[in-house]
Amino acid sequence: MKLILLGAPGAGKGTQAEIISEKLHIPTISTGNILREAIKNGTETGLKAKSFMDAGKLVPDDVIIGIVSERVAQPDCANGFILDGVPRTIPQAEALEAAGIHFDRVISIEIEDAVIEARMTGRRVCGSCGASYHITAHPPKVEGICDACGKELVIRKDDAPETVKNRLKVFHAETEPLKNFYEKLGVLKLVEGNQPIESATKDILAALGV
């Protein structure tokens, strides 16, 4: 089963990918994680990607498709995989098809902008150990302080209100048209994202026919 999870930033793609990956025993390929890994390791691709990400821009297609092609060629992807975070544009989708990377299902997690903004601007991360919190959904015991290591919590640049608004704008302009692209290929299914995680998972599995 080769899947793509589509949806706005903060729609819950990462969470659902993790659950489905476990249920179907296929790896999740999060471009965010692959890129972060490359950035952490200071690779050429990583540094290239970082300059774009810091500016809130999309990483160029050739960088993304190259990283993804390398990853899906690995043995653990033989029985399928879940792509999270790519494709983000029609040219990326076309490039994946051209590279021979085809999909059985594309699940679009539907959610309103206002819900996304509340979700993302409430996220906090420990600057020291990387633990994640949310001011309403998963608050720390002491406001602004990490439960795990006692260091200060910060707002990731990605989660600052103006960045979130900008990312949503980019999503609607560049990524949302993918729904039409995959609908024409006959593989698109829509799932309501503003519901409990378990319910969304149930709807996704039903859409996959498993």
Side-chain angles (χ1 to χ4, degrees), residues 124-127 131 133 140 142-147 151-155:
R124 299 290 182 272
V125 179
C126 175
Y133 299 89
V142 180
E143 194 181 332
I145 300 297
C146 176
D147 293 350
K151 296 283 187 344
E152 191 185 352
L153 298 180
V154 295
I155 298 175

Side-chain angles (χ1 to χ4, degrees), residues 120-127 135 152-161 164:
M120 291 181 73
T121 55
R123 297 203 288 209
R124 299 290 182 272
V125 179
C126 175
I135 53 176
E152 191 185 352
L153 298 180
V154 295
I155 298 175
R156 276 192 356 188
K157 210 168 168 182
D158 272 4
D159 296 333
V164 172

Side-chain angles (χ1 to χ4, degrees), residues 67-141:
I67 287 179
V68 172
S69 299
E70 279 167 21
R71 182 65 189 87
V72 300
Q74 290 174 21
D76 64 337
C77 291
N79 294 325
F81 51 84
I82 303 167
L83 261 197
D84 170 21
V86 72
R88 288 192 176 185
T89 60
I90 300 275
Q92 280 183 2
E94 290 169 345
L96 286 169
E97 291 287 321
I101 302 170
H102 309 296
F103 300 94
D104 302 309
R105 277 276 175 270
V106 175
I107 303 288
S108 177
I109 301 175
E110 304 287 301
I111 200 154
E112 286 169 24
D113 284 8
V115 177
I116 299 273
E117 286 180 34
R119 270 189 192 181
M120 291 181 73
T121 55
R123 297 203 288 209
R124 299 290 182 272
V125 179
C126 175
S128 179
C129 75
S132 305
Y133 299 89
H134 190 282
I135 53 176
T136 50
H138 174 48
K141 293 188 179 80

Side-chain angles (χ1 to χ4, degrees), residues 18 20 51 60 64 90 99 119 125 138 142 166 174 209:
E18 230 169 86
I20 287 154
S51 59
I64 298 278
I90 300 275
R119 270 189 192 181
V125 179
H138 174 48
V142 180
N166 186 35
E174 304 198 8

